[in-house]
Amino acid sequence: MAVTFVLDFSDGQHVETSGNGVIGRNPAVHTPGTEMDDPGHVQLITIQDDVKSVSRAHLAFGQYDGVFWVMDLGSANGTTITYPGEGTFACDPNTRHEVDPGSIVRFGGESFALTRR
């Protein structure tokens, strides 16, 4: 059963999700390497970024067995995860990284905080 997660973005967007998605300046469903578990329903979250620190398709997200994950899609400026009380870690491109509720995911000059609803 899918869990609902809430992504609160630094640009003010508030997104609830229980599936897969792609975040970027111009995200696309058929982004190479996303390996979505359910390609039939993919949320596309567009980030307005005039300085272009966020790639067109910067990162993918989803969940597996109630655990949220993100995957940097080979972006120019990378993705980091700051875990509560554990520090900040850079994401390897095209690799799923688990994200705990309460963590901050930074991508380019933007970010979102993750909570579980």
Side-chain angles (χ1 to χ4, degrees):
M1 177 166 167
V3 175
T4 299
F5 289 95
V6 179
L7 287 63
D8 283 308
F9 287 87
S10 53
D11 68 359
Q13 292 186 70
H14 175 88
V15 176
E16 294 189 13
T17 183
S18 57
N20 297 318
V22 177
I23 300 169
R25 285 192 342 268
N26 186 17
V29 174
H30 300 293
T31 302
T34 56
E35 301 168 14
M36 295 292 185
D37 293 327
D38 178 14
H41 176 69
V42 177
Q43 282 181 279
L44 301 178
I45 300 173
T46 302
I47 302 296
Q48 299 300 320
D49 180 22
D50 294 337
V51 297
K52 297 186 178 171
S53 67
V54 176
S55 296
R56 284 187 301 269
H58 198 105
L59 70 148
F61 66 85
Q63 62 175 288
Y64 182 77
D65 285 343
V67 176
F68 192 85
W69 57 264
V70 295
M71 178 171 43
D72 184 275
L73 298 173
S75 67
N77 290 317
T79 302
T80 63
I81 304 168
T82 302
Y83 297 95
E86 296 182 35
T88 301
F89 300 89
C91 295
D92 296 323
N94 301 311
T95 302
R96 288 183 181 184
H97 296 271
E98 292 184 7
V99 182
D100 300 330
S103 298
I104 305 291
V105 176
R106 289 183 176 79
F107 52 100
E110 303 295 327
S111 65
F112 69 82
L114 180 74
T115 54
R116 185 174 171 159
R117 190 169 66 108

